[in-house]
Amino acid sequence: MAHHTQNSLKVNVPAAKIWQILEDFSSVEKFATTIKSSPIVNQINSGMGAKRLCTFNDGSSLVEEIIEFQEGQGYKMELSEFSLPLKSMHAQMGVKAIDEEHSEIYMSADFVVKGGPLGWLLGSLVMRPVMKGVFKKLLIGLAYHCVTGKSVGENQPSKEQLRKIIIS
């Protein structure tokens, strides 16, 4: 049975500026605190079929391939080659304009955990809330990177640095 988790963040950043970063599919390490590198592993840098290898700070990795793409809005990815106890996982990232200067960024995932009923329990009680927290950090990093141009690194920006970026 599939699990779903999602998170979103309203920010004082135009949707077009967010999209410029999201569209550069190999740049996720600039705003994700857990990702060390994310090079493109095929000849497609953006859009349908683009594929990246995300290597995490702990040395683990996974491959993400864009399987649905909406220019200026977002994309859906199929994840593979992961060490997580998953049968399958799909994730979405995107941006929606609120007005000319504000937007909502979001990330969601649908995943199936290996292991039958015990796997389902692990997915429900552990993996889903952990992923939701990871998505929040990634979205915060994305907003910060869009405004400052700085890579986030392994640490989240401070609340003071985020005060003018995130809409409460």
Side-chain angles (χ1 to χ4, degrees):
M1 187 163 146
H3 294 279
H4 178 81
T5 190
Q6 63 187 31
N7 220 323
S8 64
L9 190 65
K10 292 181 180 173
V11 294
N12 292 315
V13 184
K17 193 167 187 179
I18 298 282
W19 181 248
Q20 283 180 317
I21 303 301
L22 287 178
E23 190 175 33
D24 179 7
F25 199 55
S26 68
S27 70
V28 70
E29 78 273 359
K30 293 177 181 175
F31 57 86
T33 60
T34 58
I35 298 177
K36 183 177 177 179
S37 65
S38 59
I40 297 296
V41 295
N42 61 6
Q43 302 303 314
I44 305 169
N45 291 321
S46 183
M48 279 294 285
K51 195 183 248 189
R52 66 185 174 200
L53 171 65
C54 295
T55 302
F56 296 91
N57 296 330
D58 68 3
S60 65
S61 64
L62 57 79
V63 172
E64 295 176 325
E65 181 177 0
I66 296 177
I67 59 170
E68 292 178 22
F69 185 81
Q70 294 179 305
E71 180 71 38
Q73 298 175 43
Y75 43 79
K76 182 177 183 179
M77 303 168 285
E78 180 174 27
L79 283 68
S80 62
E81 301 178 39
F82 40 76
S83 59
L84 298 168
L86 299 175
K87 288 183 181 179
S88 64
M89 183 169 176
H90 291 89
Q92 287 186 290
M93 291 187 72
V95 59
K96 297 174 189 170
I98 296 171
D99 59 32
E100 288 186 21
E101 297 299 319
H102 307 90
S103 59
E104 181 175 16
I105 49 180
Y106 64 89
M107 185 165 187
S108 67
D110 294 291
F111 59 97
V112 177
V113 182
K114 293 178 182 176
L118 287 177
W120 182 87
L121 197 58
L122 172 68
S124 184
L125 297 178
V126 178
M127 295 179 80
R128 196 170 68 202
V130 167
M131 284 184 196
K132 185 173 182 140
V134 168
F135 294 171
K136 184 71 158 199
K137 289 178 182 178
L138 185 134
L139 297 172
I140 288 169
L142 174 58
Y144 176 79
H145 177 67
C146 283
V147 169
T148 66
K150 297 178 183 176
S151 291
V152 175
E154 292 185 41
N155 300 310
Q156 284 280 275
S158 69
K159 288 184 181 186
E160 182 62 35
Q161 292 171 306
L162 298 171
R163 186 165 286 137
K164 293 181 181 179
I165 300 171
I166 296 174
I167 301 171
S168 301

